[in-house]
Amino acid sequence: MSDVSLPAPSVMDRLTPGTKAALLTLLVGALCLALESATEFLPVWPEAWTLPVTEWIGVSLEWLFDIIRPAMRLISAALEYPMVWVNWLLVNTPWPLIIGATVALGWYAGGLSLALMSGVGLGFVLASGYWVEGMNTLALVFVSVPLALTLGLLIGIWSNESARARPWIEATLDLMQTVPTFAYLTPLLLLFGFGPVVGLIASAIYAAPPMARNTLLGLQRVEAEVKEAGVMSGATRLQQLVQVEIPAAATQIMIGVNQALMAALSMVIIAAVIGGFDDIGWEVLLTMRQANFGQSLLAGLVIVVFAIIIDRISARMATSRERFDVRISWVILAVAIATSVLAWAALPAPGDMAVLAPTVEAVDGALTSFTRSAGATLDSIKNNAMFYGLLPLRIGLDGAVLPFTWGFSWTANMSYALFAVAGALGIAVAMTGRMAFGMCLPIIAIIVETGVSDLPWPFVLVGLGAVAWVAGGWKLTRLVVILMLLIAISGLWPRAMLSLYLCGAAVIACAVLGGLLGLLSAVSNPAWAVIRPVCDMLQTIPLFVFLIPVLMFFQIGEFSAFLAIIAYAIVPMIRYTRHGLVTTPPEMLESAVSSGATEWQIMREVRAPYAAPTILLGLNQTILYAFAMLVIAALIGTTGLGQSIYIALGAGDVGLGISAGAAMAILALIADRIVQGFAEERRRALGL
Amino acid sequence: MTASAPTGTPAIAVEGLWQVFGNDAKTRLKDAQGRTGSAPDAAEALRDDGLIPAVQDASFEVKEGELFVIMGLSGSGKSTMIRCISRLVEPTAGSVRIDGEDILSANAKRLIELRREKLGMVFQHFGLFPHMTVADNVAFPLKMLGKSKSERRARALEVIEMVGLTGREDAYPRELSGGQKQRVGIARSLAANPDIWFLDEPFSALDPLIRRQLQDEFLKIQSTLHKTIVFITHDISEALKLADRIAIMRDGKIVQIGTPAQIVLNPVDDYVREFSRDVAKGKHACLDSVIETSDELPEMPDDPKLRIDMTLDEALASCMSCYQHVPVWDREGKMVGFVHPSALAAALQVDPA
Ligand SMILES: Nc1ncnc2c1ncn2[C@@H]1O[C@H](COP(=O)(O)OP(=O)(O)OP(=O)(O)O)[C@@H](O)[C@H]1O
Ligand SMILES: [Mg+2]
């Protein structure tokens, strides 16, 4: 061996990082299982190792809040004025005028189609009898959005100006967007007191980051020579910003405005859980609690209508330069004013409108009879999914396989058999050269046998650390391990595992289903023509509304939450998969075609590898969406961190709210960094 | 300070100028210089370190009213050079003086003043403000100078006419062709009537016909305005047509500075020779680049009356039938030297390289 100049590679050197990581994880898993019964501290994180972090956070925050509360109360009192004022204005402005103004704006921005959409949409709101509640919600949006825009613009400019502050600002923005929405509410509630101002502030905080990001992005994307032309003209820095760079970045900034509007609307509706304000979100919640689904569907649709109108008009104004004849807008407005003035006395009050009441009743009736007649089917869908899918994943085959569901009970021998089969299969696969994949099989067997929520903590810690090492090297591993230990020490580990399980299950379902739909959309234009508007729709609907249909059919419970998460989180997976697959550079396709590849060979050999980084980014988005929805889904019965956050909100327990929110953010952050790491690695491998 | 600059002070004086892109460039450049001693070696060392020495140890002067052309292949550092001179990027080392004033130590306020009043620049990729009309783009430097609205509009229309874009003043940049955009850029840089004018490939997006027209127009403007100009181009015939002097750059280094004739007739290396390869030298070089002088006059039986400012082509045509040395005269009729017809023919040979 020593006579060759190059040392022969050792076994370890020949293994790919993936194989090494899988090997380590497998070893730790096997060790944990073997010692499970012998040791106390392996299966569950021992009580004695936890610190009362939650209480500490609670105590110190309450101490801090006591100090700053007077100032905060002043702010909330100050915000009360514009809110009440805008609210009064919106509620008391004759509805023909509001509809007319919106239609006029819709026409100006997008012509006939947007004008019609605005008219029909607001007509529906009027007919639903939810006009006043709707205006109450909009009042919150219209006060919080200017705050969010100002804040976002300033933050964006600041991070553009200061290279030193930029990484910190970006990290904060990341955090603001990963910390679950409900988690904001508890401290705000304690600081600002009970009332709609909390919703207003929460939505301003929630809506500022997209504005800040887009502002920064826009400013950075202004062509270097355009900026330099400003400099060479002798503009001062302020002149450059105000007269050159911000106007040149206007399109991107307008996209930020659009996103901020949508975020604010979504948050205002979520904030309705605080209650005490007669807005449309509250209406949904109330009717949902009364199981009055026809009504909550109607209220939900009102929200959807608002979301669509706001989104489409602001998006059109951001991205299209085309404007329609403003004179027609004036005419529409004039007609609206004339109607309001002349026919005011004759017009019915918007709150008394009940045109849709019969429809609602009919829908309610139909729903009731449907759930009654199809109840057995729905129940069996739910039960099958629970007993044979979700439950085993959660508590493992050893816990979920019971005589009254599976027909037999799980024994230790079955576990051994499972491990043996998985091990043999794994070795067989490893022999064909796919070492890492082969080793994943027994790992999967361990997870399925034990269940995510019962996995020994060292196994999870090492497994996540190993994956992080493959994705991003030692630095990422260190981050992941430290953050996970933080969760464990604060005693939130079991709840975090429950969240991880539900989120993981939903993400896997999204990945499979969304991947397939994305593939279908990529190969078939008719399919995309159907799927695309559905995706657009799903992305416009505020989180909250997703709960209504699943609740209607599947009642409160984990399965409903699971479905709601999928419905919300699947969209990015579909979009990115399709986008990745259809944007393969033409010259690569041409060279494949000229090599005589068939359509499917091209898909497998060229398109799919090229699309991998994009698809991974889609998966990343899906994961973040899933975490966001997980918290909202706590409203309809999930366990884990989401539930803790929701409970904390009800009890005003800021310590629990913040620490559970932070744990959730940590999980999301870890998933985000790992997937981004893989995407980055793929991009580098493809030379992109 | 500028007014009192003594006559003869170069408009632009660049000395030992370095622009190195990369992290921590200043200390690493010093370090590399200390280690290696010579500029090319230091540049090589920096390059090995993963830094980009876009301009290396450049020194030259541009006289007032001179039209100085920088030529070089893509990526050779031409644009970076004028960015350094105008301090759009902060040079890593060296000094730049404009009318004797060290602009690298000028403070922000003084820089703004200089740019408002003295410097104008045409950008390679136009750098037009996308949200402003042609007229507003052109008037922008005037706005910075605090001129009134009507004054701005009047002056803008004047320069827009000068570049032949009358009628398009209310169009937006996105509605213009590449060549039209380029002319807006030129108009904008002229609006505030700068003394020193940087042009980065200002005619590159134009078709040959318009290009020639604009070059002629440009020479005409220059003959009346006498600006100090630094002009970047890829095109050797453009360089030869316009330049008082040409600097040739390669990989960040200035390899040769000289008059068009010197560049054409005495290229310092193959790189420079390659540029002028296809140039009809007889049209660009004058007799002064080939004459000999000596105390001892050779036998000169013929005198085809060659004048020192004749191009080589003209000279060769006049002494077609001569086989021995012929005298060369200056404008006043004094003999300044002599030349052998075969030397003329040799100078015109296209280089074999
Ligand atoms: N901001 C920058 N950061 C890093 N490298 C840069 C930067 N600007 C220019 N360079 C590099 O410096 C070198 C010189 O670039 P420069 O733009 O000056 O070339 P050029 O001679 O103008 O070329 P062209 O004729 O294509 O315009 C190039 O290698 C370029 O990649
Ligand atoms: Mg250039």
Side-chain angles (χ1 to χ4, degrees):
Chain A
M1 250 221 197
S2 54
D3 53 358
V4 285
S5 54
L6 283 170
S10 74
V11 178
M12 277 318 273
D13 286 340
R14 257 179 292 154
L15 297 180
T16 63
T19 316
K20 284 186 210 168
L23 189 64
L24 179 69
T25 311
L26 185 55
L27 286 179
V28 174
L31 209 64
C32 285
L33 286 189
L35 300 176
E36 197 172 27
S37 43
T39 51
E40 286 275 294
F41 63 88
L42 270 187
V44 283
W45 182 271
E47 192 76 27
W49 294 5
T50 61
L51 295 172
V53 176
T54 304
E55 277 98 274
W56 292 348
I57 293 178
V59 170
S60 45
L61 276 183
E62 282 186 22
W63 173 80
L64 180 71
F65 285 3
D66 280 339
I67 298 174
I68 57 175
R69 187 168 291 128
M72 295 296 132
R73 290 285 155 102
L74 220 62
I75 293 179
S76 79
L79 282 174
E80 192 100 29
Y81 287 105
M83 197 188 70
V84 168
W85 193 76
V86 171
N87 196 355
W88 185 89
L89 196 70
L90 279 177
V91 172
N92 289 289
T93 306
W95 53 262
L97 192 55
I98 290 182
I99 296 182
T102 315
V103 172
L105 184 65
W107 164 265
Y108 177 61
L112 194 59
S113 59
L114 277 191
L116 267 180
M117 196 192 75
S118 311
V120 172
L122 288 187
F124 169 80
V125 174
L126 187 67
S128 74
Y130 281 128
W131 183 265
V132 175
E133 287 84 353
M135 290 305 129
N136 286 343
T137 297
L138 286 189
L140 282 177
V141 173
F142 287 151
V143 179
S144 75
V145 163
L147 282 179
L149 296 185
T150 316
L151 201 65
L153 193 69
L154 291 178
I155 296 175
I157 292 173
W158 179 31
S159 59
N160 182 55
E161 294 306 294
S162 162
R164 184 116 37 97
R166 193 175 310 142
W168 295 100
I169 296 173
E170 283 186 337
T172 314
L173 293 180
D174 275 347
L175 198 70
M176 280 165 85
Q177 284 190 310
T178 37
V179 168
T181 40
F182 277 166
Y184 282 147
L185 293 177
T186 314
L188 290 180
L189 205 57
L190 291 184
L191 268 180
F192 293 99
F194 191 77
V197 172
V198 171
L200 187 123
I201 291 171
S203 84
I205 294 177
Y206 188 61
M211 180 64 182
R213 267 179 213 289
N214 281 290
T215 304
L216 175 62
L217 187 68
L219 289 176
Q220 288 182 331
R221 280 202 186 158
V222 174
E223 265 179 65
E225 288 199 348
V226 170
K227 296 183 191 171
E228 288 176 344
V231 177
M232 283 309 287
S233 302
T236 63
R237 184 67 200 128
L238 190 65
Q239 285 173 323
Q240 290 165 33
L241 262 178
V242 174
Q243 301 193 25
V244 177
E245 297 180 20
I246 291 178
T251 299
Q252 195 69 43
I253 294 178
M254 277 303 290
I255 290 175
V257 172
N258 167 262
Q259 289 177 3
L261 273 166
M262 299 311 286
L265 180 63
S266 190
M267 189 67 190
V268 160
I269 288 169
I270 288 167
V273 297
I274 301 171
F277 193 56
D278 191 15
D279 64 354
I280 194 79
W282 177 247
E283 200 60 37
V284 172
L285 207 62
L286 204 66
T287 51
M288 239 159 46
R289 285 193 184 138
Q290 296 162 345
N292 194 351
F293 291 124
Q295 205 63 41
S296 52
L297 209 55
L298 187 65
L301 279 176
V302 169
I303 296 176
V304 172
V305 164
F306 281 144
I308 291 180
I309 292 178
I310 293 177
D311 179 52
R312 299 300 185 264
I313 291 183
S314 63
R316 183 66 75 93
M317 294 188 85
T319 53
S320 162
R321 241 181 276 277
E322 192 187 10
R323 294 283 177 268
F324 290 78
D325 195 342
V326 74
R327 282 169 302 183
I328 293 189
S329 290
W330 290 122
V331 171
I332 297 172
L333 205 59
V335 171
I337 293 174
T339 318
S340 310
V341 172
L342 298 178
W344 181 232
L347 291 172
D352 300 343
M353 289 277 189
V355 184
L356 293 177
T359 325
V360 168
E361 255 162 53
V363 169
D364 237 357
L367 270 176
T368 315
S369 65
F370 173 77
T371 39
R372 200 169 295 145
S373 64
T377 325
L378 292 177
D379 274 351
S380 84
I381 293 176
K382 179 163 94 174
N383 290 338
N384 280 319
M386 279 311 290
F387 291 140
Y388 304 115
L390 291 180
L391 214 52
L393 196 62
R394 176 171 159 189
I395 57 175
L397 288 171
D398 61 350
V401 176
L402 294 170
F404 83 95
T405 50
W406 289 62
F408 58 94
S409 48
W410 192 259
T411 59
N413 285 337
M414 290 187 192
S415 295
Y416 299 140
L418 179 69
F419 293 144
V421 171
L425 256 172
I427 291 172
V429 171
M431 298 295 260
T432 67
R434 283 180 293 179
M435 296 271 273
F437 181 56
M439 254 172 290
C440 283
L441 289 178
I443 295 178
I444 292 171
I446 293 179
I447 296 175
V448 172
E449 196 268 347
T450 317
V452 173
S453 69
D454 291 340
L455 284 176
W457 61 267
F459 173 69
V460 176
L461 205 59
V462 171
L464 281 180
V467 174
W469 179 69
V470 179
W474 282 113
K475 230 170 116 184
L476 189 56
T477 307
R478 205 174 55 209
L479 181 78
V480 166
V481 170
I482 290 178
L483 288 177
M484 286 309 283
L485 281 176
L486 225 60
I487 292 182
I489 290 172
S490 48
L492 292 168
W493 183 276
R495 274 172 275 181
M497 286 299 115
L498 283 173
S499 295
L500 203 58
Y501 132 76
L502 190 56
C503 214
V507 166
I508 292 170
C510 284
V512 175
L513 211 62
L516 286 177
L517 286 174
L519 178 65
L520 181 67
S521 315
V523 295
S524 148
N525 275 330
W528 181 230
V530 176
I531 293 175
R532 183 182 177 169
V534 175
C535 284
D536 285 348
M537 184 78 170
L538 288 178
Q539 274 197 318
T540 319
I541 300 177
L543 290 166
F544 205 62
V545 180
F546 283 87
L547 303 182
I548 304 171
V550 293
L551 210 53
M552 244 159 40
F553 294 115
F554 296 105
Q555 290 86 39
I556 281 195
E558 213 161 70
F559 184 63
S560 295
F562 176 70
L563 288 184
I565 296 173
I566 293 179
Y568 180 63
I570 198 170
V571 177
M573 193 65 203
I574 299 177
R575 278 191 194 285
Y576 281 74
T577 305
R578 175 183 175 276
H579 185 252
L581 290 176
V582 296
T583 52
T584 322
E587 63 274 14
M588 278 166 74
L589 293 181
E590 277 161 16
S591 60
V593 170
S594 58
S595 320
T598 67
E599 197 57 38
W600 275 109
Q601 279 172 324
I602 292 177
M603 185 56 86
R604 220 181 45 231
E605 307 290 336
V606 183
R607 284 187 196 267
Y610 188 83
T614 313
I615 296 178
L616 278 172
L617 285 186
L619 182 67
N620 189 42
Q621 287 291 306
T622 289
I623 294 174
L624 294 181
Y625 274 43
F627 273 109
M629 192 65 185
L630 188 59
V631 184
I632 309 296
L635 281 176
I636 56 170
T638 60
T639 45
L641 294 171
Q643 190 190 30
S644 304
I645 296 172
Y646 189 49
I647 291 173
L649 181 60
D653 182 347
V654 64
L656 182 61
I658 290 281
S659 53
M664 195 79 125
I666 285 177
L667 292 182
L669 188 85
I670 288 176
D672 175 72
R673 289 296 137 88
I674 289 179
V675 178
Q676 294 263 20
F678 279 120
E680 185 56 34
E681 188 266 330
R682 283 282 82 209
R683 261 201 302 270
R684 259 204 310 272
L686 289 172
L688 292 179
Chain B
M1 163 141 205
T2 44
S4 66
T7 48
T9 309
I12 302 173
V14 173
E15 215 181 305
L17 188 71
W18 283 81
Q19 178 60 51
V20 182
F21 289 113
N23 288 331
D24 216 9
K26 264 202 169 72
T27 45
R28 286 163 81 177
L29 171 64
K30 270 218 185 72
D31 183 51
Q33 280 173 322
R35 262 186 298 146
T36 55
S38 86
D41 292 345
E44 201 50 47
L46 289 169
R47 212 166 262 141
D48 289 343
D49 268 7
L51 297 165
I52 303 169
V55 172
Q56 308 164 17
D57 198 27
S59 301
F60 61 89
E61 288 180 352
V62 182
K63 291 189 281 290
E64 208 183 308
E66 186 178 26
L67 205 166
F68 188 80
V69 169
I70 303 180
M71 273 197 66
L73 295 182
S74 190
S76 56
K78 309 180 295 292
S79 299
T80 307
M81 179 79 85
I82 57 169
R83 282 201 166 75
C84 286
I85 301 174
S86 55
R87 217 176 140 191
L88 281 173
V89 294
E90 212 56 53
T92 317
S95 80
V96 175
R97 288 171 184 281
I98 290 185
D99 288 337
E101 178 181 1
D102 176 7
I103 77 142
L104 298 191
S105 60
N107 61 18
K109 189 163 155 278
R110 177 67 191 144
L111 263 182
I112 286 175
E113 253 172 49
L114 271 174
R115 287 170 178 157
R116 282 184 184 171
E117 280 150 22
K118 203 176 235 179
L119 309 180
M121 185 179 287
V122 179
F123 291 90
Q124 185 171 3
H125 309 287
F126 326 134
L128 301 186
F129 307 126
H131 55 286
M132 293 185 196
T133 60
V134 168
D136 289 342
N137 260 287
V138 173
F140 188 77
L142 302 168
K143 194 172 177 187
M144 294 301 102
L145 276 170
K147 293 272 175 8
S148 76
K149 203 162 180 174
S150 53
E151 223 177 323
R152 292 193 317 241
R153 178 86 188 173
R155 171 67 182 157
L157 292 183
E158 200 178 310
V159 270
I160 287 171
E161 190 187 345
M162 198 147 66
V163 297
L165 276 180
T166 306
R168 301 310 307 272
E169 52 268 5
D170 293 320
Y172 281 89
R174 58 176 177 275
E175 299 160 354
L176 301 180
S177 73
Q180 289 171 326
K181 285 185 201 166
Q182 202 152 43
R183 283 183 272 164
V184 178
I186 295 171
R188 183 177 61 188
S189 72
L190 272 177
N193 204 6
D195 302 330
I196 298 182
W197 201 12
F198 301 103
L199 299 107
D200 196 344
E201 304 193 22
F203 303 143
S204 62
L206 303 172
D207 56 84
L209 212 70
I210 304 276
R211 177 192 295 226
R212 195 160 334 126
Q213 256 173 33
L214 273 185
Q215 286 167 350
D216 293 338
E217 190 67 25
F218 182 77
L219 284 174
K220 218 165 79 198
I221 295 175
Q222 175 60 1
S223 67
T224 55
L225 298 183
H226 292 298
K227 293 182 186 309
T228 305
I229 296 176
V230 180
F231 188 110
I232 292 177
T233 180
H234 268 132
D235 179 358
I236 181 77
S237 55
E238 183 168 271
L240 295 173
K241 177 170 177 182
L242 302 178
D244 292 324
R245 278 189 307 147
I246 301 176
I248 307 248
M249 287 190 73
R250 173 188 198 176
D251 295 341
K253 284 186 295 286
I254 296 183
V255 287
Q256 185 171 9
I257 299 182
T259 62
Q262 285 167 340
I263 297 287
V264 171
L265 292 179
N266 300 315
V268 293
D269 62 10
D270 288 348
Y271 178 77
V272 180
R273 191 167 299 124
E274 199 60 21
F275 271 107
S276 53
R277 215 182 132 138
D278 299 327
V279 169
K281 294 182 179 170
K283 277 220 279 293
H284 295 283
C286 296
L287 267 181
D288 62 351
S289 56
V290 289
I291 61 165
E292 299 166 57
T293 46
S294 157
D295 293 338
E296 218 174 291
L297 289 181
E299 204 175 318
M300 293 189 284
D302 304 314
D303 178 7
K305 299 262 179 286
L306 296 188
R307 276 213 342 260
I308 184 83
D309 53 354
M310 277 179 151
T311 65
L312 296 187
D313 275 353
E314 289 165 340
L316 200 61
S318 331
C319 53
M320 281 300 252
S321 51
C322 309
Y323 298 95
Q324 291 184 37
H325 283 99
V326 291
V328 179
W329 309 90
D330 73 1
R331 235 173 278 238
E332 279 82 45
K334 224 175 79 200
M335 196 173 87
V336 286
F338 50 87
V339 66
H340 198 276
S342 65
L344 279 178
L348 284 179
Q349 282 287 305
V350 171
D351 290 304

